Amino acid sequence: MRAAQAVVRDSRLDAILVFSTESEPAAVRYFADYWPSFETTAVLIPAEGEPALLIGPESLTYASSRSRIAKIIQLMDFRESSQPDYPGSRLPKWSDIAAQYKLKKIGLVNWYLFPYAMMTELAGALGGVEHIVPADALIRPLFMKKSAEEIACLRAAALASEAGFKAILENIKPGMTESELCGIATAAMTAAGAEAAGYPIWCCSGPNSDQAISRPTMRKVQCGEIIHFSIGAKVEGYSASIGRPVVLGQCPDDIRKFMQVGLDAANMTFDEMRAGRKSGDVATKIHDYIRRQGYGDAILYGPAHGCGQMECEYPFLETSSEYMLEADMTFMQDMFLHRGGMGFRWEDGLLVKASGPAEMLSSYGRRINIL
């Protein structure tokens, strides 16, 4: 919080408003350890003085039990999306917050998540939308490098994720549904210490494996096809993930070769992610390797993206990336390839070290899994 307040002062702002939703809770949880349920939330960080957690009408008891920020303010704007009236309530308005904190110009974190209706009310209280500026880039340096405690949480999340995949390998059979298999993985993760899944996990089989972002269905898995799993656990707010393809029964040679190229590129990523290297150079080298193997058309994105309180957080590692890799940055090595109506993902947590290749936070089942 002290570091964030220094950013506010250096930026000549009166405060920064850090906004989060139930599905994108990371920014507020980072500062308050509060994760909204149904409602939305924000942390108001003034240049000087006491910060406040802003919540909706129903969450005071819950927020009081979780928040590391003592001051909690309820606002109607943070109510759930069904917009109940709560007749008789007399909650403060944005104008009250602006007057209390003497706000004239603020920065907004999670600019692209902030609802238009709420922006209108906030802008009215400040005297115009020009008094609100995007602030994501100002805050990002605070969380791009992880502390030892944060890294410990990510390691624990990776181990819980591995427990989910281990349960898959021990129980999967032809004829089980994608949803059934996701349930097995989720139960194993929570039994292994996860507070929740880091995201809605998925199993994508056969033609569904072509979907880089997906949801499980009631389709029954079959022999001789790619069955892709993305399994991620959340521990103390920190999210990890592992991605693995599985084939049951006989594996066609073209599928085996395709998966091997992806695994080789993923393994190369760990060796290339070294402190002092330019991020875009690493991505280019990995993509060039895949193209030399004849699979350039199969690249969707990759080979890595940041991770922390969200399994996928800033920054992505792309061929256009300009930032330099530094020790204690954490990423998900994440390579999705697809071709001919099938695809797969190799994914594991990655810690950039002060010297040498990156540390692999998870490795269970990191091989061609043909059962």
Side-chain angles (χ1 to χ4, degrees):
M1 190 63 73
R2 288 192 297 271
Q5 287 188 305
V7 169
V8 177
R9 292 191 295 271
D10 291 345
S11 304
R12 299 177 181 267
L13 297 169
D14 298 313
I16 282 179
L17 185 71
V18 181
F19 178 74
S20 286
T21 67
E22 184 175 20
S23 62
E24 297 273 352
V28 164
R29 191 163 185 190
Y30 182 81
F31 288 106
D33 198 24
Y34 173 69
W35 180 4
S37 181
F38 287 95
E39 299 181 335
T40 55
T41 185
V43 171
L44 183 68
I45 304 175
E48 303 286 349
E50 185 182 16
L53 174 67
L54 310 183
I55 63 170
E58 294 188 43
S59 299
L60 183 59
T61 303
Y62 164 45
S64 299
S65 72
R66 291 292 298 265
S67 176
R68 304 300 181 94
I69 296 173
K71 186 171 185 177
I72 300 175
I73 301 173
Q74 293 173 281
L75 285 174
M76 191 67 75
D77 268 3
F78 290 101
R79 69 190 184 274
E80 58 187 270
S81 59
S82 56
Q83 296 186 302
D85 288 333
Y86 300 104
S89 69
R90 300 184 182 278
L91 298 181
K93 303 180 184 303
W94 283 112
S95 56
D96 300 316
I97 305 297
Q100 180 181 349
Y101 280 88
K102 299 181 173 59
L103 302 179
K104 295 181 180 178
K105 187 176 183 180
I106 69 168
L108 177 60
V109 174
N110 275 334
W111 178 268
Y112 290 101
L113 290 179
F114 203 64
Y116 174 80
M118 200 180 297
M119 178 71 84
T120 300
E121 293 293 324
L122 178 58
L126 296 176
V129 71
E130 65 273 14
H131 297 282
I132 308 169
V133 298
D136 293 88
L138 300 178
I139 292 295
R140 283 169 181 160
L142 299 184
F143 60 77
M144 283 178 65
K145 295 177 67 174
K146 303 299 190 291
S147 68
E149 291 81 3
E150 290 178 291
I151 292 168
C153 290
L154 284 168
R155 287 195 177 106
L159 286 174
S161 301
E162 288 185 343
F165 187 61
K166 183 174 185 290
I168 291 296
L169 294 184
E170 291 174 348
N171 290 279
I172 187 171
K173 295 180 179 63
M176 299 178 78
T177 68
E178 295 174 345
S179 293
E180 181 182 3
L181 289 162
C182 288
I184 290 171
T186 301
M189 286 193 305
T190 53
E195 64 182 13
Y199 55 88
I201 65 172
W202 62 75
C203 164
C204 311
S205 62
N208 293 344
S209 69
D210 195 40
Q211 302 165 6
I213 303 294
S214 187
R215 301 280 192 184
T217 71
M218 297 307 292
R219 184 183 187 274
K220 295 180 179 180
V221 302
Q222 302 171 24
C223 291
E225 65 180 12
I226 291 179
I227 307 167
H228 168 75
F229 293 92
S230 282
I231 299 170
K234 184 187 291 287
V235 173
E236 292 292 332
Y238 286 81
S239 297
S241 182
I242 64 173
R244 303 281 189 271
V246 171
V247 176
L248 302 179
Q250 295 295 316
C251 179
D253 290 342
D254 61 330
I255 291 180
R256 183 192 293 268
K257 180 183 177 183
F258 191 21
M259 292 191 298
Q260 187 66 57
V261 169
L263 178 56
D264 291 344
N267 287 334
M268 184 185 298
T269 303
F270 282 92
D271 187 57
E272 295 296 326
M273 296 282 281
R274 297 172 182 251
R277 294 208 60 190
K278 184 179 174 180
S279 51
D281 291 346
V282 173
T284 297
K285 186 169 183 177
I286 304 304
H287 285 205
D288 285 348
Y289 168 78
I290 296 170
R291 290 190 182 96
R292 289 196 303 272
Q293 308 310 307
Y295 291 91
D297 63 297
I299 300 171
L300 178 63
Y301 65 79
H305 57 74
C307 71
Q309 292 231 344
M310 293 293 288
E311 184 273 337
C312 184
E313 70 177 32
Y314 183 90
F316 264 75
L317 191 132
E318 302 171 275
T319 55
S320 58
S321 299
E322 295 289 335
Y323 63 90
M324 303 301 291
L325 297 174
E326 299 181 50
D328 298 327
M329 284 183 167
T330 54
F331 293 85
M332 299 308 303
Q333 169 277 306
D334 183 2
M335 177 58 68
F336 180 81
L337 299 176
H338 68 133
R339 170 190 277 183
M342 62 181 174
F344 56 84
R345 183 188 307 274
W346 292 102
E347 184 171 15
D348 282 290
L350 177 160
L351 171 65
V352 179
K353 306 293 286 184
S355 61
E359 176 185 338
M360 188 181 295
L361 299 183
S362 51
S363 61
Y364 183 84
R366 192 179 173 84
R367 60 180 180 269
I368 303 299
N369 290 290
I370 301 172
L371 308 180

